Amino acid sequence: MSLPGSVLVAATLIATSLLPSSLLAQGGRTGRRVSEPSHQTLVAQLRDPKQDGEVRMRSLSMLAYLGRPLKLKDVSSVHHLARGIFLADYARCLGLCGAEALPELKKLRVKRDVDAAAEVMYARVRLETDGVALALTTLRNRNAKDLLRVAALRALADSGSPFAVVEALRRLEMETGALLFECLAILRRKPNDDQIPYLIDLMTTSKGRPANEAVAMLQHITGYRIANDPRTWKYFYLKHKADGTPFRREADGTSEESSLSYMGVPIFSDRIAFVLDSSSSMNERMGDTSGDTRSIRAVNELLHLLPRLPEEAHLNVLFFDGDVSAFAEELIPLDPEVQAAISTFCKANGPQGGTNIYAGLDSAFSQEGIEEIVLLTDGSPSVGELIEPIDILARVARYNRWRGVRVSAVSLRAPANAQAFLNRLARENLGVCKVLR
C-alpha cells in the first residue's frame, strides 16, 4: 500500500525522520521543561533500606529512564525487589554500572521477560570483549526474538561499530516491524548517498510507515521533493548516475504540505491509534470564530481524515477522561462501515471528568501491531495510576525502548507545563508535537 502521492513532502515532515535530537515541536517552544528528580536524590532513595519498596522501585525506574552512570553497589541493593515490570529497569541500571556488572547481568533470569532480556543483550554487546560477535550472531539468528535483535543492532551502533550500518542496510528488505524501524533509525543517524539505492528498493518492497520513512530520508539526502513513487525516484537516481552528477537538487524555497495529517501532525503509518482527550475542559470553546468546542474540533478533524486514510489501514480511536473508552478492543480494518461506526462513536462521546493521559497511552500501546499513536489533549494529567509527567515519560520509554512506536502529540490550547510534557513525549518517541493555541 502506498499513501497518497503528496504525503511526506513537507520540510517539517522530513525533519521528523531524523535523529531524536532534531525532532522539534511544531508551533513553537514553551520555554519550560518537565521537572525531574535529582540524580543524587534518586540514588539515595534507591540504596536506603528504610524507604518503602515502592519508592525504591520508582527511583530505579527513573534512574533507568535518565540513563546516567551508576555504581553497582547502589543498584544491586535492590536486586531482591526487582521483579515483574521492574526487572527491565534493573537490567538497564546494571548496564549503566559498566563491565563490573556483567556477572550480575548474566545471572538474571530474563527468558520470560523480553524487555529485560533485551536490556541484558544491549549491555552485554556494549560491555563484553566479544560483544560484536554476540551481536552479529544474534542478528543472524532468525529464531531469536525481534526485540533481542533490535537491542543487538542498537548496541552495535551505540558502540560505534561499522557493522551497525552494514547490518542495517542488508536487512532493509528482509525485516519487518520493530527491527526494520531500528534499521531505519540507524541509517538516520548519518544519512548519505550510499543509502539511496537501498531506500528506493525499500519503497518498492514495503508499504506504510517503512516506505514513508524511506521517502523522508531520500528527500533529506537529495533535496528532491518526490513523494512515495519508487519509479520516479529510481529514474532520477539512474539519470544522475549515468550523467555522473550528484543526486542533488537545490532547495527552491517551496514545498508541498502533507495531505495526510491530523491537526497538523503528519501520519506515517497505516497501523495507528488516535488517543483523544475527553475531559470536561474539552467542552470549552476554541476561541476562534467557528464556535466549536475543543472536543468538536478534535472529532471533526478526525472524521475529515478517515476517508483519506489508505484502504488497508487498521486503526482504533480511544477517548480518555478519568477512564478510557475505546471504539474497539484492537486495531481494526478501516472500511466504509467502520468509518460510519467510528463517526457515531465519536459524536456520542460526551466530555466529562479528569485527564487520565497515562491510561490512554497505556491502552494504545496494548494494541497488537501498533506502529503510530497520536495523542491529543488540552491539559496536564490529573487522575490515574501515573500523574507526574516525568513518571509517564519513564513508563512510555520503558515500553517503547525497543519497539519504535511513533508517538506524536497535539497540544490543543494546553497550558505551558502541559506543552512541555507533550513536546518531550513526542521528541523522545520519534514523533512531533503540534501546538494549537
Side-chain angles (χ1 to χ4, degrees):
M1 170 193 57
S2 293
L3 297 183
S6 59
V7 174
L8 304 180
V9 292
T12 55
L13 186 58
I14 297 171
T16 68
S17 71
L18 303 180
L19 287 173
S21 61
S22 64
L23 298 180
L24 302 180
Q26 307 302 308
R29 295 179 178 274
T30 67
R32 294 197 180 188
R33 294 184 177 182
V34 176
S35 177
E36 296 181 3
S38 74
H39 181 81
Q40 184 177 4
T41 298
L42 291 171
V43 171
Q45 291 176 340
L46 181 73
R47 66 188 182 192
D48 184 358
K50 296 181 181 179
Q51 288 283 355
D52 182 80
E54 184 177 338
V55 172
R56 298 178 79 185
M57 287 298 93
R58 179 183 183 275
S59 297
L60 180 77
S61 295
M62 198 58 56
L63 289 167
Y65 169 59
L66 297 176
R68 297 166 190 162
L70 296 168
K71 295 180 180 179
L72 180 57
K73 64 179 181 179
D74 295 332
V75 175
S76 60
S77 68
V78 295
H79 70 92
H80 60 293
L81 297 174
R83 301 289 185 271
I85 63 172
F86 298 109
L87 186 59
D89 293 327
Y90 182 66
R92 186 175 186 186
C93 286
L94 284 176
L96 295 169
C97 296
E100 67 173 333
L102 280 171
E104 294 299 319
L105 282 162
K106 292 179 180 179
K107 288 192 298 184
L108 289 182
R109 298 180 179 181
V110 296
K111 287 186 178 180
R112 296 183 179 180
D113 189 326
V114 66
D115 292 285
E119 293 293 351
V120 172
M121 174 61 65
Y122 178 82
R124 289 185 60 191
V125 171
R126 297 207 66 188
L127 300 175
E128 291 182 358
T129 55
D130 59 348
V132 171
L134 172 63
L136 295 177
T137 299
T138 303
L139 279 168
R140 293 165 186 174
N141 179 6
R142 305 290 295 183
N143 293 322
K145 293 182 178 179
D146 281 352
L147 297 195
L148 295 185
R149 300 170 75 206
V150 170
L153 180 58
R154 189 179 303 170
L156 283 177
D158 290 349
S159 300
S161 170
F163 287 106
V165 172
V166 173
E167 290 294 324
L169 285 172
R170 70 187 295 266
R171 294 180 182 284
L172 283 184
E173 293 187 61
M174 68 175 71
E175 305 294 352
T176 59
L179 186 53
L180 177 54
F181 297 147
E182 186 66 26
C183 291
L184 289 165
I186 299 301
L187 300 180
R188 284 198 299 270
R189 297 186 182 199
K190 193 174 181 180
N192 59 68
D193 288 3
D194 293 339
Q195 300 170 7
I196 292 175
Y198 294 91
L199 293 171
I200 293 174
D201 287 343
L202 178 62
M203 293 171 59
T204 303
T205 58
S206 296
K207 301 174 181 179
R209 178 177 161 188
N212 291 327
E213 290 195 6
V215 172
M217 292 177 65
L218 286 166
Q219 291 178 343
H220 173 76
I221 294 169
T222 68
Y224 275 81
R225 294 295 180 263
I226 305 168
N228 193 340
D229 183 352
R231 288 179 297 181
T232 302
W233 277 108
K234 192 165 188 177
Y235 167 79
F236 280 105
Y237 170 68
L238 294 176
K239 183 178 186 301
H240 279 283
K241 188 174 182 179
D243 294 342
T245 57
F247 192 176
R248 291 287 185 278
R249 183 175 183 177
E250 292 295 328
D252 59 7
T254 63
S255 64
E256 299 177 69
E257 291 295 329
S258 169
S259 66
L260 195 62
S261 64
Y262 175 67
M263 304 286 279
V265 169
I267 303 300
F268 271 64
S269 178
D270 54 12
R271 298 292 186 273
I272 185 168
F274 294 92
V275 183
L276 309 182
D277 194 338
S278 185
S279 62
S280 57
S281 60
M282 290 292 287
N283 280 315
E284 295 183 16
R285 300 290 178 181
M286 283 295 299
D288 54 24
T289 58
S290 68
D292 289 346
T293 65
R294 298 173 184 179
S295 178
I296 289 174
R297 178 67 58 83
V299 166
N300 286 347
E301 290 282 344
L302 177 60
L303 298 184
H304 177 69
L305 171 66
L306 291 182
R308 299 159 56 222
L309 288 171
E311 292 182 357
E312 298 177 16
H314 288 59
L315 81 159
N316 204 350
V317 179
L318 304 97
F319 287 104
F320 64 90
D321 42 54
D323 297 307
V324 177
S325 175
F327 171 72
E329 294 183 357
E330 58 186 3
L331 299 177
I332 58 175
L334 184 64
D335 58 32
E337 183 177 347
V338 169
Q339 287 186 38
I342 290 176
S343 177
T344 300
F345 171 73
C346 289
K347 291 178 179 178
N349 175 68
Q352 60 183 346
T355 307
N356 195 341
I357 290 178
Y358 173 69
L361 289 170
D362 185 54
S363 296
F365 274 113
S366 71
Q367 307 286 297
E368 183 71 26
I370 189 72
E371 294 180 357
E372 186 165 10
I373 295 169
V374 177
L375 168 70
L376 178 145
T377 184
D378 68 345
S380 300
S382 62
V383 296
E385 178 185 346
L386 299 178
I387 297 177
E388 291 297 324
I390 193 67
D391 289 332
I392 297 175
L393 290 169
R395 189 70 64 86
V396 169
R398 177 204 288 154
Y399 180 83
N400 206 27
R401 181 157 154 80
W402 310 113
R403 291 170 175 80
V405 177
R406 176 180 164 87
V407 183
S408 291
V410 178
S411 171
L412 190 59
R413 300 179 65 83
N417 61 337
Q419 290 179 30
F421 161 64
L422 295 173
N423 283 332
R424 183 161 168 175
L425 176 70
R427 185 174 67 249
E428 293 180 353
N429 293 279
L430 307 172
V432 296
C433 177
K434 182 71 175 181
V435 177
L436 301 178
R437 295 181 173 86

